[in-house]
């Protein structure tokens, strides 16, 4: 048997079971000595780090950027400096510019041009408060315009050399 139930049937020790979505630990899996810690910003199996949401003021921003990172193969981006690093402020993420360098004022720019994104950009991207510039050129991405009306501050959208085939 690979897994053992302990403490009234709760699964605490496994040799090869990844931490489920919504949890993490340094190894990304359950073991005899460590369980998985709760992490609402981790949406995939096997997370090895968690954004400490108590260190950031924008939980919604945190969720949106985590979803973008996950759905566009963030671990394989050419530059993913500071993304999902515990203790790093969202304003320190590569390609993220916060208005007045303060997350409370919103993310004003998201510039991930030629960053190696692959996959489908989540439509929640349009819900970033204060977003004025979205630059995703030269990436292997698909993007839906469903919900773009939520991007009330969006002034500039760069999408050349992507997989978008119609608008």
């Amino acid at each position: 048997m690979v897994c053992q139930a302990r403490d009234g049937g709760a699964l605490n020790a496994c040799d090869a079971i990844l931490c489920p979505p919504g949890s993490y630990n340094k190894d990304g899996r359950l073991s005899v000595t460590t369980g998985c810690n709760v992490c609402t910003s981790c949406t995939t199996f096997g997370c090895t780090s968690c954004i400490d949401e108590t260190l950031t003021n924008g939980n919604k921003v945190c969720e949106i950027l985590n979803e973008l990172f996950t759905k566009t193969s963030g671990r394989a981006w050419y530059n993913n400096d500071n993304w999902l690093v515990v203790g790093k402020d969202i304003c320190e993420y590569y390609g993220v510019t916060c208005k007045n360098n303060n997350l409370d004022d919103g993310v004003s720019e998201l510039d991930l041009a030629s960053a190696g994104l692959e996959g489908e950009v989540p439509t929640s991207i349009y819900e970033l408060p204060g977003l004025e510039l979205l630059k995703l050129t030269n990436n292997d991405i698909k993007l839906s315009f469903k919900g773009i009306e939520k991007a009330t501050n969006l002034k500039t959208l760069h999408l050349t050399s992507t997989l978008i085939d119609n608008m």
Side-chain angles (χ1 to χ4, degrees), residues 6 9 11 24 32 42 44 58 63-64 74 77 107 109 114 122-123 126 133 135 146-147 150:
R6 294 190 198 159
L11 186 61
Y24 81 103
V32 174
C42 184
T44 61
E63 289 173 15
I64 292 168
W77 292 355
V107 171
E109 297 181 11
S114 303
T123 57
Y126 303 126
L133 174 118
K135 193 171 184 180
K146 183 178 180 183
K150 295 176 184 174

Side-chain angles (χ1 to χ4, degrees), residues 37-167:
N37 304 308
V38 173
C39 176
T40 58
S41 63
C42 184
T43 59
T44 61
F45 285 91
C47 285
T48 58
S49 63
C50 178
I51 299 170
D52 185 350
E53 293 177 355
T54 63
L55 297 177
T56 62
N57 292 321
N59 288 342
K60 181 72 173 173
V61 172
C62 181
E63 289 173 15
I64 292 168
L65 293 179
N66 183 55
E67 183 181 19
L68 173 69
F69 187 84
T70 302
K71 291 191 174 185
T72 59
S73 304
R75 296 202 188 286
W77 292 355
Y78 301 131
N79 187 342
N80 58 16
D81 289 352
N82 296 327
W83 280 76
L84 309 186
V85 175
V86 174
K88 290 293 182 180
D89 188 75
I90 289 172
C91 300
E92 298 177 71
Y93 288 9
Y94 169 78
V96 174
T97 301
C98 295
K99 193 172 198 170
N100 302 318
N101 206 29
N102 183 345
L103 184 59
D104 289 338
D105 295 332
V107 171
S108 58
E109 297 181 11
L110 186 57
D111 183 353
L112 295 172
S114 303
L117 281 69
E118 293 182 1
E120 190 162 338
V121 175
T123 57
S124 61
I125 199 80
Y126 303 126
E127 297 175 38
L128 283 171
L131 185 65
E132 297 174 7
L133 174 118
L134 179 58
K135 193 171 184 180
L136 300 173
T137 57
N138 298 317
N139 286 296
D140 192 16
I141 57 167
K142 292 183 179 182
L143 179 76
S144 168
F145 293 98
K146 183 178 180 183
I148 197 166
E149 70 277 1
K150 295 176 184 174
T152 56
N153 295 306
L154 190 62
K155 297 175 185 171
T156 309
L157 181 61
H158 293 276
L159 300 172
T160 57
S161 299
T162 62
L163 297 177
I164 295 172
D165 56 6
N166 65 46
M167 291 174 121

